[in-house]
Amino acid sequence: MATRLVVLLAICLSLLASVAIGQQHQQSQQSQAQQRRAQQCRLQRLTASQPSHRLQSEGGVTELWDENDDQFQCAGVAAMKSILRPNSLSLPNFHPAPRLVYIERGQGLLGVNFPGCPETFQSQQSSPRRSREERREEGQQEDARSRRDQHQKIRRVRQGDIIALPPGVAHWCFNDGDEELVAVSINDLNHQANQLDQKFRAYYLAGGPPRGGQQSRQGEETFQNILSGFDEELMAEAFNVPTQIVSKLQRDDDRGLIVSAREELRMIRPDEKEEEEEEEREYRWGPRSNGLDESWCTMRLRHNIDDRREAAVYSRGAGYINSVNQHTLPILRYMDLSAEKGHLFPDALYTPHWSVNGHSIVYVIRGEGQVQVVDHSGQDVMNDNVSQGDMFVIPQYFAATLKAGRNGVEWLSFKTTGSPRKSPVAGYTSVMRAMPLEVITNSYQVSPGEARNLKYNRGRETFMATPWRRSS
């Protein structure tokens, strides 16, 4: 009996030691990763930038910002813009990091294919017309099953939508509108779901990078058809189809990443009015959860950020701010991302503030303004004018402010946190307003009257401040 107790005690101690060593190793890895990220955020200068790479495809354009830029390395993101011409299809692909998308212009259909979820929609298969003789020669037996196509849910997306694309989930997009569909997005390379490295990559299930020119090398490093790497015979066995069909899946396709649709896309999708009503109900009352199919397979992926009635901050004389976070779009709780869209009226001010729990990747939608960003040493690392199409990063805890130009400014800010928090310097909810007057007078060596002006002169304005009129 004593021998058994000794053996059991030895086993328990061995297990505890293994667990302790594993936790220590994991903490060491996390500490090293944090040190690497901290070193990447030692920025001397921030500048607004435009896309540095442009990949021209048959049906549109893919633009990429330089992921090696210090500011994007600090935030751990890769930014891109996709432009789809009418009747064009962005080919199916997936990526190892979560992606947050903003639809800047246009509308289209989005398919997101969750693994393990059923095909709950049936649509009539569109096939070219054939004569009776051709059908007889091909031996086609046209029954109800062969004419019907089953697929997962297809979603309507339109201007102002924020779309959450989880890592590892294949997706495609089709522009069925009359104007270009423009989508700006970031990929969170620092997310725990991405266990590869901080290099942006996408895994395509069709097509391939455009050939020739300066765009060829960048495309070949980032975008490739993964099916082309498999043995043709094994692929034919996997799909139970002839090798001639597999060769079409694997061939080099110089049409690029976005192609023009040759045939009409007839896909069944929920009635758009019913879909909007259902999303409105989920937004206000929460989703109906009934296991896997309800919580994952039909998860809400988009929320429109353009509705002024849902503004988180509103000032009649300065502008408004809308936000989409893990509370308005629950899937962002798992992706740990969010977005904020701001609109400043001419000459209005987005007051100085800092982000408590994440980086901000700012994209200027229209207009122009002056941006100032200050680091921990009190030095301004950015003091520039920005305009439409510019993108820049505001690192966590760096204080920033934005003053609109004569025509105002509109921007979208991607956040590397699902529940962002900001701390303003001036205004109703600011740190200055929260301090006692005596603290302000002693901190800045000002009179009680001057301290009161600092604390209360903006009234109930917070974040958004109306243009300042100098008193005589």
Side-chain angles (χ1 to χ4, degrees):
M1 185 68 179
T3 304
R4 289 183 179 180
L5 289 175
V6 171
V7 172
L8 288 174
L9 182 60
I11 292 174
C12 291
L13 290 174
S14 177
L15 289 174
L16 288 173
S18 299
V19 171
I21 292 173
Q23 290 178 342
Q24 185 177 6
H25 178 67
Q26 183 178 7
Q27 290 174 355
S28 176
Q29 287 182 327
Q30 292 176 348
S31 177
Q32 291 175 3
Q34 290 174 353
Q35 288 177 1
R36 287 196 299 270
R37 286 195 291 268
Q39 291 173 354
Q40 290 170 345
C41 287
R42 292 176 181 173
L43 303 169
Q44 301 297 321
R45 182 68 181 163
L46 294 171
T47 57
S49 63
Q50 295 275 341
S52 58
H53 298 88
R54 180 181 176 90
L55 306 178
Q56 183 72 50
S57 300
E58 178 191 55
V61 178
T62 304
E63 297 180 339
L64 304 171
W65 274 265
D66 183 8
E67 63 181 291
N68 294 318
D69 189 331
D70 288 343
Q71 59 184 333
F72 294 115
Q73 288 284 310
C74 168
V77 302
M80 61 185 296
K81 178 189 289 187
S82 299
I83 304 172
L84 280 68
R85 301 190 188 99
N87 198 44
S88 292
L89 174 69
S90 176
L91 294 173
N93 69 94
F94 64 92
H95 31 80
R99 178 180 296 178
L100 202 59
V101 184
Y102 169 67
I103 304 298
E104 183 177 0
R105 187 169 71 249
Q107 64 173 351
L109 301 175
L110 174 69
V112 182
N113 309 124
F114 289 97
C117 296
E119 298 83 13
T120 53
F121 291 83
Q122 291 184 346
S123 60
Q124 202 71 13
Q125 193 176 39
S126 62
S127 57
R129 295 181 179 178
R130 290 183 287 270
S131 66
R132 185 177 302 173
E133 291 77 11
E134 288 175 329
R135 290 198 300 269
R136 189 181 300 115
E137 288 175 2
E138 295 175 7
Q140 291 184 350
Q141 306 247 342
E142 292 190 302
D143 55 19
R145 187 180 65 176
S146 66
R147 289 198 305 267
R148 255 180 280 163
D149 176 37
Q150 294 182 323
H151 53 77
Q152 291 187 16
K153 181 178 180 179
I154 296 171
R155 297 164 170 84
R156 164 69 64 187
V157 296
R158 55 174 55 87
Q159 179 176 326
D161 278 350
I162 295 293
I163 304 167
L165 296 176
V169 175
H171 56 87
W172 54 266
C173 186
F174 176 67
N175 182 358
D176 66 341
D178 298 325
E179 62 174 336
E180 290 183 337
L181 171 61
V182 180
V184 181
S185 59
I186 64 155
N187 300 268
D188 185 8
L189 305 180
N190 269 343
H191 194 271
Q192 61 182 0
N194 177 27
Q195 298 186 20
L196 299 175
D197 53 35
Q198 282 199 327
K199 176 175 173 53
F200 172 57
R201 49 172 62 86
Y203 298 79
Y204 272 77
L205 303 178
R211 303 297 180 187
Q214 297 179 352
Q215 61 185 4
S216 178
R217 181 179 178 185
Q218 175 69 19
E220 291 176 359
E221 292 178 351
T222 309
F223 310 103
Q224 284 290 351
N225 178 0
I226 63 172
L227 300 184
S228 62
F230 288 100
D231 179 80
E232 190 176 85
E233 295 290 340
L234 292 179
M235 287 286 289
E237 183 178 353
F239 283 102
N240 193 24
V241 297
T243 55
Q244 293 86 344
I245 297 179
V246 173
S247 64
K248 294 180 180 180
L249 300 181
Q250 297 181 321
R251 66 187 175 190
D252 290 336
D253 193 342
D254 58 4
R255 294 181 299 166
L257 309 174
I258 305 170
V259 302
S260 299
R262 298 289 191 269
E263 298 179 7
E264 182 181 0
L265 271 67
R266 296 177 180 176
M267 300 167 290
I268 192 169
R269 59 186 184 273
D271 180 82
E272 291 181 20
K273 185 175 181 181
E274 292 181 2
E275 188 177 20
E276 290 178 357
E277 291 176 352
E278 176 67 14
E279 290 186 352
E280 178 70 16
R281 188 199 66 78
E282 288 186 5
Y283 170 59
R284 296 191 180 282
W285 305 103
R288 290 177 294 187
S289 179
N290 185 25
L292 174 66
D293 288 355
E294 289 291 335
S295 61
W296 173 253
C297 298
T298 59
M299 186 173 289
R300 192 162 62 93
L301 301 179
R302 70 176 185 90
H303 189 90
N304 197 279
I305 202 171
D306 273 353
D307 192 348
R308 189 185 300 191
R309 296 172 300 176
E310 296 181 1
V313 179
Y314 179 80
S315 169
R316 183 177 298 179
Y320 53 91
I321 297 174
N322 287 47
S323 64
V324 174
N325 53 42
Q326 66 182 30
H327 305 294
T328 52
L329 194 59
I331 192 175
L332 297 179
R333 181 179 299 112
Y334 309 105
M335 295 173 56
D336 203 24
L337 293 170
S338 58
E340 171 188 281
K341 184 180 179 184
H343 186 116
L344 274 179
F345 299 150
D347 298 320
L349 181 69
Y350 192 13
T351 59
H353 63 278
W354 65 86
S355 173
V356 174
N357 58 343
H359 303 298
S360 300
I361 301 90
V362 184
Y363 173 74
V364 182
I365 301 171
R366 60 180 58 88
E368 60 181 12
Q370 181 187 7
V371 176
Q372 285 192 331
V373 182
V374 177
D375 67 4
H376 68 284
S377 65
Q379 301 297 316
D380 63 321
V381 293
M382 183 175 184
N383 187 3
D384 297 331
N385 290 322
V386 296
S387 57
Q388 182 175 348
D390 285 340
M391 182 178 286
F392 57 94
V393 172
I394 303 176
Q396 181 185 16
Y397 298 121
F398 281 44
T401 185
L402 169 63
K403 183 171 177 61
R406 291 182 298 176
N407 298 315
V409 65
E410 191 172 344
W411 75 93
L412 186 96
S413 180
F414 297 100
K415 309 282 188 178
T416 59
T417 174
S419 183
R421 296 192 302 274
K422 298 176 296 184
S423 183
V425 175
Y428 182 63
T429 59
S430 68
V431 292
M432 198 70 70
R433 186 71 175 256
M435 294 180 189
L437 286 172
E438 291 78 5
V439 173
I440 298 176
T441 56
N442 284 278
S443 296
Y444 303 106
Q445 293 185 333
V446 295
S447 67
E450 290 170 330
R452 185 173 293 276
N453 290 340
L454 286 171
K455 188 170 181 176
Y456 296 110
N457 266 14
R458 272 298 174 183
R460 299 188 68 85
E461 289 184 326
T462 181
F463 287 111
M464 317 288 279
T466 53
W468 182 50
R469 294 175 177 82
R470 185 185 297 273
S471 58
S472 56

